[in-house]
Amino acid sequence: IRMVSNSSISYRREWRHIRNNKTGLRVIWFVRRGTVQLVRSRNTYTIRAGEWGIIDSGVPFHAKALSDADQFDVLFALVPPHLYLSPLSLAANLDTPLALDYANRESVVRLLDLLIDLGNELSANTAEPLVGAFLESLADRVRDVTEWVPARQRHALDGAEPIGERSGQNL
């Protein structure tokens, strides 16, 4: 889903929403312009242009998309658990944004573009392997990050500074 706006937008998912709609999706945010602030009970972090972050829809959160001088431009992927958990199990509790300026950035961007451009035209049998490749490309970055994190912190990555280099590059 792509969201572009000239004004800030916020969304809150509370326990009552979760009880009424137990979807269990992961939302992967890709910020092209502006920022997205994700507030959860244990952490608040900001995703800037050129970064991505993950939120679990099964846990309460408040997301605020904030424009820069003119607008914000955000892509977000809604990923069901059966696709998410295998490649991105290390990111289950990821509470920090990750930069997209790494070795396989181009594969992430191209696969995302392909899924967005042709998503409605692809059969489930065609789309699922593409989604798997897309998630594996993201998992490569998560694995890069978790290699240097001490073992006791690998599961939550709590208290860490935002990982990855700040980048002015947009998606």
Side-chain angles (χ1 to χ4, degrees):
I1 299 170
R2 183 173 184 194
M3 183 171 38
V4 179
S5 179
N6 293 336
S7 61
S8 298
I9 295 175
S10 69
Y11 175 77
R12 185 178 308 269
R13 184 154 165 90
E14 299 173 347
W15 281 118
R16 64 185 169 92
H17 301 126
I18 295 164
R19 282 190 294 273
N20 291 336
N21 183 356
K22 298 176 180 101
T23 57
L25 298 171
R26 295 301 195 284
V27 182
I28 304 175
W29 299 78
F30 298 89
V31 179
R32 299 176 73 181
R33 190 167 178 183
T35 61
V36 172
Q37 184 181 50
L38 296 173
V39 179
R40 297 181 359 171
S41 63
R42 68 178 186 193
N43 192 15
T44 297
Y45 66 96
T46 301
I47 307 169
R48 292 171 177 79
E51 295 179 333
W52 61 281
I54 302 170
I55 194 94
D56 179 354
S57 72
V59 177
F61 68 90
H62 183 201
K64 293 188 268 185
L66 307 168
S67 63
D68 58 14
D70 296 316
Q71 65 179 202
F72 71 86
D73 186 349
V74 177
L75 299 171
F76 54 97
L78 305 173
V79 184
H82 77 281
L83 294 175
Y84 176 87
L85 289 177
S86 180
L88 286 169
S89 60
L90 283 174
N93 296 314
L94 189 67
D95 279 350
T96 187
L98 297 171
L100 273 178
D101 56 346
Y102 58 99
N104 65 350
R105 176 187 188 276
E106 195 63 31
S107 63
V108 170
V109 172
R110 285 186 182 192
L111 285 164
L112 184 59
D113 285 343
L114 181 65
L115 289 165
I116 289 170
D117 293 344
L118 300 176
N120 292 333
E121 300 169 25
L122 299 175
S123 70
N125 290 335
T126 303
E128 198 159 313
L130 291 173
V131 169
F134 167 71
L135 295 174
E136 282 294 339
S137 294
L138 294 175
D140 287 343
R141 178 63 173 146
V142 173
R143 282 189 285 274
D144 289 346
V145 167
T146 57
E147 284 180 10
W148 67 266
V149 175
R152 67 182 184 280
Q153 293 179 356
R154 280 194 185 134
H155 295 296
L157 294 175
D158 285 336
E161 289 295 316
I163 299 168
E165 300 168 4
R166 294 283 179 218
S167 168
Q169 293 179 333
N170 291 332
L171 289 175

